[in-house]
Amino acid sequence: MKLPEQKPTLLLVDDEATNLQVLRQILQDDYRLLYAKDGEKALELAQSNPVELILLDIMMPAMTGYEVCRKLKAMPLTAAIPVIFVTALADVKDEAEGFDAGAVDYITKPVSPPIVRARVRTHLSLVDAAELRRSRLQVIQRLGQAAEYKDNETGMHVIRMSYYARQLALAAGFSEAQAEDLLNAAPMHDVGKIGIPDAILQKPGKLDADEWQVMRSHAEIGEAIIGEHAGGLLKMARTIALTHHEKWDGSGYPNGLKGEEIALEGRIVAIADVFDALTSERPYKRAWTVEEAIDTMRRDSGVHFDPELIELFIANLPAMLEIKAQWKEPV
């Protein structure tokens, strides 16, 4: 059985019935349409229906389109809905005021059907792209959390260490976009633990040599799970999964990389991951104080960790502690 195709829902707002009729004729074949002849009704419909885009007149009685748009953008339920002004006001200052109010586009009357259809398609595609990015990142974060739960960790660990990594990346010279990619790639660092047997992963005592060899394989398992990608966030996630257990002096695993042979994102995540692990309580250990953790990590500078990154982490410690407080474990 094939599911019926869902048409996107548009809200058309204009105090003139003739104008609504024109827009209906242009859009009715491709979209589900809702209608409002004033701002109050528009706000009501936008909050109670799955509206994906709003075509909004400006010159309306009681509440102008500018006011309606500002109210929409101020409410969490409707803030993300794109608004296109459809109006006879064609002055540059009118357009500027519309964009200041939060609109994404501006169509002047009398409307051209091809232009209306094209603008609506364009902005709906942008909404779809944004939703796809959000969904992809949520999947990545959830998969990262699944690995942590299997290892007696918590979802908060994944979030905290990701934000620590983002903060350190910015300090190390990453652009905002690069740091944001790191924030969303870091939760995948231990995804390979999904492939480690529970008897080893959750063993209360010390692992023997054979068990430790199996445990170490989670870096390469993670690399395989994420797979090869030409670029972007998943390529970064794969690199992090493979390199975050390498050590500055070459004694890490799986490839014994040394110094700057280790990818910068892997070096950053190693510091973020260890800091959170040390300062968090686990069933098998108490939480170290921040001072104890920093002392240990400073001693391991040049051995386990990149010395320059350790100094940057310490210099940004106030920001790290704000992250720690914001994402503390639930009581």
Side-chain angles (χ1 to χ4, degrees):
M1 178 185 292
K2 187 177 179 180
L3 291 174
E5 187 176 347
Q6 288 286 100
K7 291 183 177 181
T9 299
L10 310 185
L11 172 58
L12 313 181
V13 188
D14 199 303
D15 62 314
E16 293 289 339
T18 304
N19 293 331
L20 291 176
Q21 178 69 9
V22 169
L23 290 173
R24 185 180 74 82
Q25 291 295 332
I26 296 170
L27 298 166
Q28 64 182 344
D29 291 342
D30 300 311
Y31 305 102
R32 174 176 174 251
L33 303 177
L34 302 175
Y35 305 93
K37 296 185 72 174
D38 59 66
E40 186 175 345
K41 183 66 174 176
L43 293 172
E44 177 189 325
L45 289 173
Q47 291 181 88
S48 58
N49 292 274
V51 174
E52 294 174 54
L53 186 142
I54 299 172
L55 295 170
L56 177 60
D57 185 27
I58 291 177
M59 300 305 294
M60 297 187 296
M63 191 186 305
T64 69
Y66 298 138
E67 293 173 296
V68 174
C69 190
R70 289 190 179 95
K71 287 180 181 293
L72 288 166
K73 296 303 168 184
M75 295 186 294
L77 276 176
T78 58
I81 303 173
V83 175
I84 299 176
F85 279 126
V86 183
T87 178
L89 298 176
D91 195 271
V92 172
K93 68 177 180 61
D94 298 315
E95 291 191 24
E97 186 171 355
F99 290 125
D100 286 344
V104 296
D105 211 339
Y106 201 96
I107 301 174
T108 55
K109 298 176 183 176
V111 299
S112 161
I115 288 177
V116 171
R117 294 190 193 100
R119 299 285 180 84
V120 167
R121 280 197 306 271
T122 295
H123 289 291
L124 285 176
S125 70
L126 292 174
V127 171
D128 290 344
E131 180 57 34
L132 180 61
R133 285 195 297 273
R134 283 194 295 271
S135 298
R136 182 184 66 174
L137 296 180
Q138 286 172 350
V139 169
I140 289 171
Q141 289 170 341
R142 293 298 178 181
L143 188 55
Q145 288 178 350
E148 300 299 341
Y149 281 126
K150 194 171 186 287
D151 191 26
N152 288 322
E153 302 281 8
T154 72
M156 290 297 103
H157 166 69
V158 166
I159 294 172
R160 280 192 305 268
M161 62 80 58
S162 298
Y163 277 100
Y164 294 150
R166 178 184 181 277
Q167 185 68 36
L168 182 53
L170 288 171
F174 279 43
S175 69
E176 287 285 347
Q178 291 169 327
E180 198 68 18
D181 274 351
L182 182 59
L183 169 71
N184 292 297
M188 296 282 279
H189 68 291
D190 271 342
V191 69
K193 287 181 178 177
I194 290 173
I196 303 300
D198 287 352
I200 292 176
L201 200 60
Q202 299 175 1
K203 182 178 178 180
K206 187 176 180 180
L207 300 181
D208 63 30
D210 289 339
E211 291 169 335
W212 181 239
Q213 194 64 31
V214 173
M215 174 66 86
R216 285 161 54 117
S217 71
H218 80 269
E220 292 158 307
I221 294 171
E223 178 196 29
I225 288 173
I226 297 168
E228 291 192 28
H229 302 271
L233 188 152
L234 287 176
K235 181 180 180 181
M236 181 182 286
R238 181 177 186 265
T239 298
I240 289 169
L242 185 63
T243 63
H244 75 285
H245 283 296
E246 300 286 359
K247 295 183 179 181
W248 187 255
D249 68 354
S251 65
Y253 65 87
N255 293 313
L257 301 179
K258 185 175 182 179
E260 292 186 0
E261 293 174 351
I262 308 165
L264 179 55
E265 53 265 45
R267 286 179 264 152
I268 288 172
V269 168
I271 291 172
D273 188 32
V274 169
F275 177 75
D276 192 69
L278 292 177
T279 57
S280 299
E281 183 177 353
R282 295 290 178 264
Y284 51 84
K285 65 173 278 293
R286 67 171 179 85
W288 290 23
T289 66
V290 171
E291 291 75 15
E292 289 173 326
I294 293 298
D295 285 346
T296 296
M297 294 174 73
R298 185 177 267 131
R299 283 197 300 272
D300 282 340
S301 176
V303 179
H304 187 160
F305 305 115
D306 179 333
E308 290 186 18
L309 289 179
I310 284 291
E311 292 309 310
L312 284 175
F313 187 89
I314 294 169
N316 284 267
L317 192 57
M320 305 300 180
L321 297 182
E322 287 181 13
I323 293 168
K324 182 174 176 61
Q326 181 178 358
W327 299 103
K328 62 185 178 182
E329 299 293 334
V331 178

